[in-house]
């Protein structure tokens, strides 16, 4: 079941659509500081973990910048794809963390290889 989700491109497309809906709500609310209009100012991203299942929509994180001179503050909406500033996708961090409890060393190596993880990163999670 878990391996099916990790490689399923439609799952990642659904997460992107959810991020877009959240971002649209944030953009329509305007700047939190001055109430000005928000312009698109996406952050570039190079997500790790399952690159083969990802399309170009995962090359950036949705974000905005206030259009009012003198304010220009950035607003980054919550994301279901990315966990804060992490380079690994949120679903990978959560899945791997859950899977590692009681994981045999053979399966641990397989997980590290398949998801292109550093062993130190897996230990940290």
């Amino acid at each position: 079941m878990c391996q099916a989700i990790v490689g399923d491109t439609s799952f990642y497309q659904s997460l992107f659509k959810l991020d877009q809906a959240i971002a649209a709500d944030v953009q329509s609310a305007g700047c939190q500081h001055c109430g000005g209009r928000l312009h698109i100012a996406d952050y570039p991203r190079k997500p790790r973990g399952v690159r083969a299942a990802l399309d170009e929509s995962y090359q950036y994180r949705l974000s905005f910048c206030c259009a009012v001179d003198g304010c220009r503050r950035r607003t980054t909406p919550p994301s279901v794809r990315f966990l804060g500033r992490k380079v690994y996708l949120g679903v990978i961090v959560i899945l791997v963390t859950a899977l590692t409890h009681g994981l045999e060393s053979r399966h641990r190596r397989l997980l590290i290889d398949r998801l292109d993880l550093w062993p130190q990163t897996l230990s940290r999670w």
Side-chain angles (χ1 to χ4, degrees), residues 43-47 58-61 82-87:
Y43 280 115
R45 284 292 169 105
K46 294 181 183 177
Y58 277 77
Q59 299 303 310
Y60 59 91
R61 170 148 184 203
F82 303 104
L83 290 176
R85 301 176 98 164
K86 307 281 188 257
V87 293

Side-chain angles (χ1 to χ4, degrees), residues 1-111:
M1 170 74 178
C2 293
Q3 288 112 352
I5 290 174
V6 170
D8 184 10
T9 56
S10 65
F11 174 71
Y12 297 104
Q13 291 168 353
S14 297
L15 291 179
F16 178 63
K17 288 178 184 175
L18 197 56
D19 263 9
Q20 285 179 312
I22 294 167
D25 289 343
V26 169
Q27 187 177 26
S28 66
C31 180
Q32 297 172 351
H33 304 284
C34 72
R37 185 172 169 206
L38 294 175
H39 288 263
I40 295 172
D42 297 336
Y43 280 115
R45 284 292 169 105
K46 294 181 183 177
R48 296 183 192 158
V50 288
R51 289 187 204 126
L54 304 177
D55 61 15
E56 64 278 349
S57 66
Y58 277 77
Q59 299 303 310
Y60 59 91
R61 170 148 184 203
L62 303 174
S63 189
F64 304 102
C65 182
C66 182
V68 175
D69 284 334
C71 181
R72 305 293 295 167
R73 293 195 182 177
R74 184 172 281 279
T75 301
T76 303
S79 174
V80 296
R81 298 178 301 153
F82 303 104
L83 290 176
R85 301 176 98 164
K86 307 281 188 257
V87 293
Y88 287 96
L89 298 176
V91 68
I92 297 300
V93 174
I94 293 166
L95 180 64
V96 168
T97 302
L99 285 174
T100 55
H101 293 287
L103 197 61
E104 297 175 9
S105 61
R106 175 174 62 99
H107 290 124
R108 186 178 197 279
R109 281 192 305 275
L110 180 65
L111 191 63

